[in-house]
Amino acid sequence: MVGDDIEPVSDEERLVLGELLNHVLDKGVVIAGDVTISVADIDLIRVGLSLYLTSVETLERSSSSRGDLPVLPD
Amino acid sequence: MAIYLYCLTEPGCEPPAELRGLAGEAVRVVAAAGRVAAWVSDLPEGLGPATAELARAHDRVVRAALAHETPLPARFGQSFASDAALRRELDSRTAALERSLGRVRGGVEMTVRVLLSGASGPETTGAGRSGPRAREGVHTQGEVETAGAAGVAGGAGGAGRAYMARLRERQQESAELKREAEFLQARVARAVDGLAREEVCSSVMPGAHSFSLSHLVAREAVGEYRLAVDSLVKSDPSLRMLVSGPWAPYSFARIAGE
């Protein structure tokens, strides 16, 4: 559902994307409107979570890095 | 022309002229009653299904607002038939929206993703983990489900028993994860005590083996917050948690009273 635009360059980026999807798709104020783009929300959230977990795993294996997640660039 | 909603702000928070939203559309303000305004853009038809790129574009606009002042971020995917249609919705709950905006004013969201012991990864975290273990005493919880299971499995033979054992195992595991999550949540809460105005905990999703804790933190306290979580993680090598932020307060963007 997410299509070809997830071609993550690094695990860190996947991590950030996973966290972004979890915030943007699942939270935030809901004003009743037509929810035109949200048909795929659930899929995107699942993708976000699994991206997250696999990235964390790889990151932990490859380095002792833990603690801060890079902040999204503007 | 349909419009797409990014966030709500107090009046006077203007998007930069060069800011572009979904599909490269310019972002503009729709002023509503009271001290409520919305950042929107036109929504071209045929945008297609949700993609990560669209979600990124949404957050980019919200972040531009956050650079000025703290907005009430909208959940991804909401569109309205026209400016007037959006204004009608906003004007029907002016007071509540003003309260919600007031609640997040001056704050940002910091999120700690906490991985539970069952999360995939190297087995290095098993020893010395400080989460509660208590495997005992969980057996009695599954009466309702096991009754159903007996029906499914025909109630006889090894297959049925194996099925019920699996069920019990899964229940035990999820009860254990829940306890571990509560324990870790309390540890994080203690670590950031005094820095967080509010806390929201995402539920542990089945099979996800992680949960997130979001805190509403004053902008000027972000550095201190990071240090607090960092020293918690350093104090106990078995902890696996990652901080992200500052985010716009997505987890705290509820309409007051709803």
Side-chain angles (χ1 to χ4, degrees):
Chain A
M1 214 68 217
V2 184
D4 300 329
D5 63 339
I6 293 192
E7 291 289 344
V9 181
S10 71
D11 284 309
E12 275 189 358
E13 266 173 56
R14 293 202 299 178
L15 220 64
V16 171
L17 178 60
E19 203 55 66
L20 177 130
L21 294 178
N22 288 326
H23 278 86
V24 173
L25 304 182
D26 197 28
K27 294 155 186 165
V29 72
V30 176
I31 308 287
D34 297 322
V35 183
T36 47
I37 320 180
S38 67
V39 263
D41 275 6
I42 300 305
D43 298 299
L44 275 170
I45 290 169
R46 287 219 191 95
V47 168
L49 269 176
S50 60
L51 273 179
Y52 203 95
L53 289 175
T54 51
S55 324
V56 167
E57 189 184 349
T58 321
L59 205 67
E60 286 202 334
R61 260 206 299 266
S62 60
S63 71
S64 62
S65 147
R66 50 159 66 109
D68 286 0
L69 191 63
V71 180
L72 273 180
D74 282 320
Chain B
M1 169 68 110
I3 58 168
Y4 181 86
L5 174 67
Y6 299 94
C7 58
L8 304 180
T9 68
E10 297 187 321
C13 185
E14 294 290 330
E18 70 281 5
L19 184 62
R20 292 291 176 272
L22 268 56
E25 294 287 336
V27 179
R28 60 191 169 80
V29 172
V30 170
R35 299 196 47 74
V36 179
W39 282 24
V40 305
S41 67
D42 288 345
L43 181 65
E45 275 175 45
L47 206 52
T51 61
E53 204 35 65
L54 292 178
R56 276 203 189 98
H58 176 100
D59 188 59
R60 203 182 310 127
V61 172
V62 171
R63 275 173 184 279
L66 185 65
H68 283 270
E69 62 173 58
T70 304
L72 214 52
R75 187 171 304 184
F76 178 80
Q78 298 172 75
S79 70
F80 298 81
S82 63
D83 289 15
L86 170 61
R87 211 175 280 125
R88 261 197 310 277
E89 295 286 354
L90 297 178
D91 290 355
S92 70
R93 58 195 94 170
T94 302
L97 291 174
E98 286 176 341
R99 272 203 302 282
S100 300
L101 278 162
R103 230 176 105 212
V104 298
R105 192 181 296 136
V108 291
E109 175 174 339
M110 297 298 290
T111 299
V112 186
R113 167 76 47 181
V114 182
L115 304 188
L116 299 169
S117 52
S120 55
E123 256 307 279
T124 52
T125 54
R129 175 157 270 288
S130 45
R133 289 266 113 188
R135 278 192 179 273
E136 315 77 32
V138 191
H139 299 261
T140 52
Q141 291 187 350
E143 247 100 55
V144 175
E145 283 193 38
T146 45
V152 172
R161 202 170 300 153
Y163 179 84
M164 282 161 71
R166 257 202 317 280
L167 258 188
R168 215 173 293 132
E169 219 169 88
R170 217 175 297 152
Q171 281 167 354
Q172 253 179 45
E173 192 189 80
S174 85
E176 210 174 301
L177 284 178
K178 190 161 172 283
R179 267 197 301 277
E180 188 189 356
E182 284 166 1
F183 177 78
L184 292 172
Q185 180 183 0
R187 286 190 73 178
V188 175
R190 269 199 305 279
V192 302
D193 188 35
L195 294 171
R197 277 201 242 159
E198 283 185 50
E199 177 182 84
V200 166
C201 179
S202 75
S203 54
V204 183
M205 285 172 74
H209 292 249
S210 87
F211 68 98
S212 68
L213 280 172
S214 285
H215 294 108
L216 186 62
V217 175
R219 282 168 188 263
E220 54 276 14
V222 166
E224 216 180 319
Y225 178 95
R226 283 181 174 281
L227 283 177
V229 178
D230 202 38
S231 59
L232 172 64
V233 171
K234 285 200 177 107
S235 74
D236 183 348
S238 74
L239 296 177
R240 295 194 295 162
M241 38 184 85
L242 290 158
V243 178
S244 68
W247 299 93
Y250 284 97
S251 301
F252 303 94
R254 288 181 302 273
I255 300 178
E258 280 184 16

